[in-house]
């Protein structure tokens, strides 16, 4: 494959996660000089207090956010199936580009209509920073059970606003999320387990508060963009003999 030939030709590699590193090294069968510099989630510079997070959790409706382009790999259909299993009062806002896989978006809309979930799901489309911040600030959970994420910046961006993240066991989300502490990991197509986690959040607001505060702490502990880029810069200087 051209990718393998290219990867074998490079002198060094910058990886966005340990998971990506493992995938690449398995593919080429060897290790190259490298640095793992995780992307940051501080682009939005989220400002939210513990008091605001706690007060938000008292709202009757559990507000769920999906943050990502609406493409099949993000598994929005699994999240929709999970909502259909709930009797609790929940609402999902889908934030992301609807023009990448239009056929998939059409199938999702048909699925929503078939399951009678039109009033429980809103498509917000792609949002600029100000409306995106507002949506994340008013949400309780970020759920995106993608079949694979090389890292998963969206999870961190949600955590910045105190949103526990529900992701899948495939990909690098496990490098961000600690199950039952600041989120959950499920099999990508496991709507039943996803529904059980959402049901718990809807019913147990004390647990929601606990995990929301933990999610915010996880975000604060993560390197910023400046810190990650400094790590890459040091690696490049070492590789070129300049440092």
């Amino acid at each position: 494959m051209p990718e393998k030939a290219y990867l074998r030709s490079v002198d060094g590699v910058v990886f966005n996660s340990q998971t990506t590193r493992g995938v690449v090294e398995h593919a080429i069968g060897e290790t190259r000089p490298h640095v793992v510099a995780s992307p940051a989630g501080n682009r939005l510079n989220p400002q939210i207090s513990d008091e605001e997070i706690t007060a938000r959790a008292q709202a009757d409706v559990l507000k769920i956010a999906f943050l990502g382009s609406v493409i099949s790999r993000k598994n929005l259909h699994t999240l929709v199936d999970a909502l259909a299993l709930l009797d609790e009062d929940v609402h999902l806002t889908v934030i992301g580009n609807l023009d990448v896989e239009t056929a998939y978006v059409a199938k999702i809309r048909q699925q929503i209509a078939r399951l009678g979930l039109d009033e429980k799901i809103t498509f917000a489309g792609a949002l600029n920073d100000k409306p995106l911040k507002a949506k994340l600030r008013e949400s309780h959970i970020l759920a995106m059970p993608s079949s694979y994420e090389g890292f998963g910046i969206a999870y961190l961006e949600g955590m910045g606003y105190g949103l526990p993240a529900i992701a899948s066991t495939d990909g690098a989300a496990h490098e961000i999320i600690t199950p039952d502490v600041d989120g959950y990991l499920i099999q990508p197509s496991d709507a039943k387990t996803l529904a059980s986690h959402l049901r718990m959040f809807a019913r147990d607001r004390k647990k929601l508060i606990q995990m929301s505060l933990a999610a915010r702490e996880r975000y604060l502990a993560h390197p910023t963009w400046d810190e990650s880029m400094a790590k890459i810069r040091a690696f490049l200087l070492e590789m070129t003999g300049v440092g």
Side-chain angles (χ1 to χ4, degrees), residues 185-203:
L185 300 172
I186 66 166
Q187 293 294 319
S189 299
D190 189 353
K192 185 176 180 180
T193 299
L194 176 52
S196 71
H197 292 319
L198 296 175
R199 184 178 297 112
M200 181 278 295
F201 283 124
R203 294 181 177 180

Side-chain angles (χ1 to χ4, degrees), residues 142 144 146 149 152-159 165-167 173 176-177:
L142 190 144
M144 190 172 66
S146 302
E149 293 288 345
I153 295 175
Y155 305 125
L156 273 177
E157 290 183 337
M159 286 177 160
I166 302 178
I176 304 169
I177 299 165

Side-chain angles (χ1 to χ4, degrees), residues 167-185:
S168 85
T169 51
D170 293 353
H174 69 276
E175 297 183 32
I176 304 169
I177 299 165
T178 301
D180 204 36
V181 174
D182 48 36
Y184 290 102
L185 300 172

Side-chain angles (χ1 to χ4, degrees), residues 9 18 33 46 86 90:
S9 74
Q18 292 289 354
L86 299 176
V90 301

